[in-house]
Amino acid sequence: MSAEPEHVVTGAFGFTGRFITRRLLSMGVRVKTLTRTPARTNPFGDRLTVAAYNFENPGALARSLEGAAVLYNTYWVRFPHGRTTFEAAIANTRTLLRACEEAGVPRIVHVSVTNAATDSPLPYYRGKGLVEEAIKRSSLTYAILRPPLIFGPGDILVNNIAWFLRRFPIFTVMGDGHYRLQCLFAEDFAETAIACASRQDRGVVDVVGPETFSFDEFVRLIADTIGSRARIVHLSSHTVRGLLGLVGRVIRDVVLTPDEIAGLMSGLLVTQSPPLGRTRFRDWLGGVAGTLGRTYASELARHYR
Ligand SMILES: NC(=O)c1ccc[n+]([C@@H]2O[C@H](COP(=O)([O-])OP(=O)(O)OC[C@H]3O[C@@H](n4cnc5c(N)ncnc54)[C@H](OP(=O)(O)O)[C@@H]3O)[C@@H](O)[C@H]2O)c1
């Protein structure tokens, strides 16, 4: 058995966790992942140890964390669905934190979101704020990382903007489209997360990329890059929500949640912090212009079917 301590990543088969895992493995680090679906096809083969989340069995969860030097936590739910709720996700994260304490895991690198706040009127942002508070109260040292929209191969939101732009003659933007957003390349996020793992302090850090766009500019940039001729029209957020609800019923997915719309329109995906990510969205986009949005990426298919 290797003397090198293991790093545990929640969600190595998901989006953000996959980039962290791949990078750690390329550095020769031993990695274990926690997931709901340990039996699924493992793209990392036997280089990755796989264990179940075991939120219902905290003792087993703690045993699966024993000996870990750090936990990279990506666990969260994008929206409530069926028996999945934000409250359950918060409770599960608290269970995970207690398991880390019991197992003697010294450090957590936690993925939060820009402008998470316990007093947010939006349940997604409030839930993220409550989890941040639970981490601060734990005995672990921590890096709480707050990214805005994360882009990269396998992402859902940017891919699906491109899908709509390819598929329909009209693309509807909520309101005036002047509200701003920042974004971050998934590889840059993974690099920052791993750099934070070896520190011993406690801190909350915005991790944003080098560009700030208005939503209009963001959509137009994607449209121009992929060669979409869709007309971009502005409608009230109420109308766009209604339209997205209709489309969602047809394609059997939740395209954009009320919290995502409200968060975007009220500037929650923007910070005043200096950029830690180097990769420019427009440069990345140029490299994937031929493939982005060719197929729809379904959140419900990924997590519920
Ligand atoms: N993607 C973005 O643009 C973005 C932006 C800002 C912040 N974040 C934050 O970054 C973190 C990771 O996001 P991601 O997009 O990379 O997520 P993800 O890979 O889809 O999921 C991350 C983890 O959460 C679990 N999970 C996801 N949905 C679930 C559900 N409905 N029920 C139970 N478990 C579920 C997954 O379980 P399995 O391992 O079983 O799949 C996985 O372990 C989250 O905390 C998110 O809030 C993401």
Side-chain angles (χ1 to χ4, degrees):
M1 205 174 113
S2 164
E4 289 299 314
E6 195 167 51
H7 289 206
V8 177
V9 181
T10 57
F13 306 139
F15 176 51
T16 317
R18 185 160 38 90
F19 289 87
I20 298 173
T21 302
R22 192 187 300 129
R23 192 171 273 260
L24 286 170
L25 289 172
S26 74
M27 293 163 63
V29 176
R30 286 196 305 131
V31 186
K32 177 188 279 183
T33 192
L34 302 182
T35 173
R36 281 170 304 164
T37 49
R40 72 200 262 179
T41 312
N42 173 358
F44 300 105
D46 57 11
R47 293 184 303 151
L48 178 71
T49 308
V50 183
Y53 269 129
N54 262 323
F55 293 125
E56 290 75 29
N57 185 349
L61 181 58
R63 282 193 294 284
S64 66
L65 289 159
E66 272 167 13
V70 59
L71 171 73
Y72 302 86
N73 182 37
T74 74
Y75 170 76
W76 188 241
V77 301
R78 202 178 130 205
F79 48 78
H81 183 73
R83 286 165 53 201
T84 302
T85 61
F86 286 132
E87 290 71 24
I90 295 166
N92 285 341
T93 311
R94 289 194 174 121
T95 303
L96 185 60
L97 290 171
R98 280 193 298 272
C100 283
E101 290 175 326
E102 199 182 318
V105 180
R107 184 156 182 84
I108 183 168
V109 176
H110 173 74
V111 190
S112 186
V113 70
T114 48
N115 297 299
T118 53
D119 60 355
S120 172
L122 305 177
Y124 180 98
Y125 288 86
R126 187 166 63 245
K128 298 295 265 182
L130 289 169
V131 167
E132 288 191 359
E133 289 308 306
I135 291 170
K136 289 176 190 168
R137 281 197 305 270
S138 77
S139 62
L140 280 65
T141 70
Y142 57 81
I144 293 173
L145 305 182
R146 292 174 150 193
L149 177 67
I150 302 175
F151 64 89
D155 96 299
I156 286 190
L157 292 174
V158 174
N159 180 78
N160 290 349
I161 291 175
W163 184 83
F164 276 97
L165 284 165
R166 285 188 193 280
R167 193 106 181 168
F168 296 97
I170 289 176
F171 186 96
T172 55
V173 167
M174 298 87 65
D176 63 13
H178 292 172
Y179 41 87
R180 296 177 313 142
L181 80 153
Q182 291 175 314
C183 54
L184 174 73
F185 187 37
E187 287 288 3
D188 291 350
F189 182 77
E191 185 181 352
T192 302
I194 292 168
C196 288
S198 52
R199 300 169 62 117
Q200 286 164 11
D201 54 356
R202 294 171 163 82
V204 183
V205 187
D206 290 327
V207 190
V208 299
E211 300 146 297
T212 302
F213 300 97
S214 71
F215 188 61
D216 249 9
E217 288 168 345
F218 194 70
V219 171
R220 282 181 200 284
L221 179 60
I222 298 173
D224 291 346
T225 310
I226 66 173
S228 162
R229 294 216 195 128
R231 228 178 89 220
I232 297 170
V233 297
H234 297 90
L235 298 175
S236 74
S237 63
H238 184 74
T239 308
V240 176
R241 270 180 67 169
L243 288 172
L244 291 179
L246 280 176
V247 176
R249 273 200 284 284
V250 174
I251 58 179
R252 297 174 62 220
D253 192 28
V254 176
V255 180
L256 214 52
T257 71
D259 280 16
E260 286 164 347
I261 293 174
L264 173 61
M265 294 185 76
S266 58
L268 294 185
L269 290 179
V270 181
T271 73
Q272 299 303 318
S273 301
L276 288 179
R278 289 182 305 267
T279 307
R280 282 156 39 104
F281 178 64
R282 59 181 77 239
D283 294 340
W284 174 79
L285 204 52
V288 296
T291 52
L292 189 72
R294 290 275 174 207
T295 53
Y296 183 81
S298 166
E299 179 80 23
L300 288 186
R302 243 178 231 192
H303 290 300
Y304 296 94
R305 289 200 281 272

